[in-house]
Amino acid sequence: MNFHQMMQPRQRSQFQAVGEFLYIEACPDSVAITTERGEYRLKQGAQILDPQLTGRVTVENMGEAGTVTIICGFGRYIPPTDGQEVSVTKMPTVTLSPNQQVNIGQLPHKWH
């Protein structure tokens, strides 16, 4: 289960973690994390890796009021890198069969 909550300074909340990693996706400054196996003080982007992480987790917001988002799961979490661009250097050849028609009115207008 992931955690996403607006928290006041020094506010505590608990949730049930399931997995092997706990990743701090967002927090105002830092958060104090207490698991059944230890205590941590983490900033945004930090991660706990523990094959026996599953269990109750206590989160305390150590910064100003703001949203705290924590992602839990199995394996190791690799967050997306903001600002990366995809450069297409080569496109495959497109061949239409004889008498095949393409209706450009049904093509998507925006790429997501």
Side-chain angles (χ1 to χ4, degrees), residues 21-94:
F21 74 81
L22 185 144
Y23 176 77
I24 310 301
E25 183 172 69
C27 67
D29 179 42
S30 67
V31 289
I33 302 289
T34 304
T35 69
E36 294 176 5
R37 294 173 41 94
E39 295 180 11
Y40 310 86
R41 185 158 178 167
L42 305 172
K43 291 189 174 282
Q44 182 172 319
Q47 182 168 192
I48 298 170
L49 297 173
D50 184 345
Q52 297 175 353
L53 178 65
T54 299
R56 185 175 55 210
V57 175
T58 302
V59 180
E60 182 177 356
N61 180 17
M62 303 304 287
E64 298 298 318
T67 301
V68 176
T69 303
I70 300 172
I71 299 173
C72 296
F74 290 92
R76 180 183 175 125
Y77 184 72
I78 300 173
T81 305
D82 291 338
Q84 279 191 329
E85 295 181 10
V86 175
S87 176
V88 178
T89 57
K90 187 175 180 182
M91 293 289 291
T93 305
V94 176

